[in-house]
Amino acid sequence: MNWINDTIKQPSADHHQQASNRQAILTKPPGSLGELENVAVRLAALQQRDTPSLDAAWISIFAADHGIAEEGVSAFPQEVTKAMLGNFLAGGAAINALANLQAAQLEVINVGVKQCDEGFEGLIQQSVAEGTANFTQQAAMTAQQLSQALDVGRDAVQRAAVSRSDIFIGGEMGIANTTSASALACAILNLPADKLVGAGTGVNAQGIRKKQQVIETALKHHQQQLNSPLSILQYLGGFEIAALVGAYIHCGQIGMPVIVDGFISSTAALIAVNIQPNLAAWLFYGHQSEEAGHQHVLAALKAYPLLNLNMRLGEASGAALALSILRAACQLHQQMATFEEAGI
């Protein structure tokens, strides 16, 4: 997995300045378009273009099962992960509708779903194992499995690059993965579980307390091993979360902007940025999830979420919606007249 330490590309300071100068002479009061102005300037610097554009979008959904589901931390049985893969491939999920709306290329990758080796036409099969281990008892994955899962994310970004995509969106599916993400965030941020654990798939107050107890047990059990971002990911993570980490890092390495989705995806971004701090420049945050821990993760990332719609679906739904905001920022930057052009 040495590739994850390869250099992250630097945004162009010249294009950042040029875009800032253009924003200053467009027919509007300075700063009146708020975050849309910042988005346009950032994209110009990242894409090294006078006029940024996001015509071609790529969405990768990574799916995997979690051994921690054995602890009863989800409102749904583990079989739902596999069932949702069928729904994605049949075009019936929320992300299918949003990908169609955005004319985005959508792919679905099996990184570790149980009993999912055949019968799914169109599914990209890169299974590391049939789910992670129960991390209250042992490491969620081996070092070799972590390496494989990171590579799955890198491979998805390489496919996006071959298709000449302008922006990458990663999504996830995996019953019990909010428990994994909460545990990861607790370990990275050094916060107790009661600050970060939420309803996930819709568990009640008793279920939330159970998730908190499970996570606290795991944090105590692995305390000596939780000493680096990669070790934390290995001991507490999921294959789909590791794939997102790999994807985000590789986007920064090849120079492809990213829209990060909700709590789970943002936790993956938190790990990725802790591995590669310069990656932060390449990440846009689609929305603030209703999930309890997301605000803490966003604060640690110094992130500005573009939307807040009380969503907590995952599967890249919030990021796909936010793509419209980024595209609007590009359109405004390109098409608005300057004061001189408008004769004002």
Side-chain angles (χ1 to χ4, degrees), residues 117-193:
D117 56 351
E118 58 184 24
F120 286 94
E121 185 178 352
L123 180 65
I124 296 173
Q125 294 282 8
Q126 290 187 282
S127 180
V128 175
E130 291 202 349
T132 52
N134 183 337
F135 62 65
T136 62
Q137 301 170 13
Q138 64 190 88
M141 63 190 86
T142 66
Q144 179 59 36
Q145 288 172 336
L146 172 60
S147 180
Q148 286 179 254
L150 290 166
D151 287 350
V152 171
R154 178 192 59 185
D155 293 347
V157 172
Q158 289 175 344
R159 290 190 294 272
V162 168
S163 78
R164 297 185 178 275
S165 298
D166 297 310
I167 196 157
F168 179 86
I169 295 172
E172 40 63 37
M173 176 62 211
I175 292 300
N177 65 3
T178 56
T179 300
S180 176
S182 297
L184 291 166
C186 285
I188 291 282
L189 300 177
N190 195 27
L191 289 173

Side-chain angles (χ1 to χ4, degrees), residues 15 22 41 76 80 94 103 134 146 162 216 242 271 315 327 333:
H15 285 90
R22 176 169 173 78
V41 170
F76 291 97
V80 170
N134 183 337
L146 172 60
V162 168
E216 293 291 359
I271 294 168
E315 68 184 49
R327 283 175 165 166
H333 190 78

Side-chain angles (χ1 to χ4, degrees), residues 37 40 50 66 107 181:
E37 297 182 16
D50 293 335
H66 292 254
E107 65 173 15

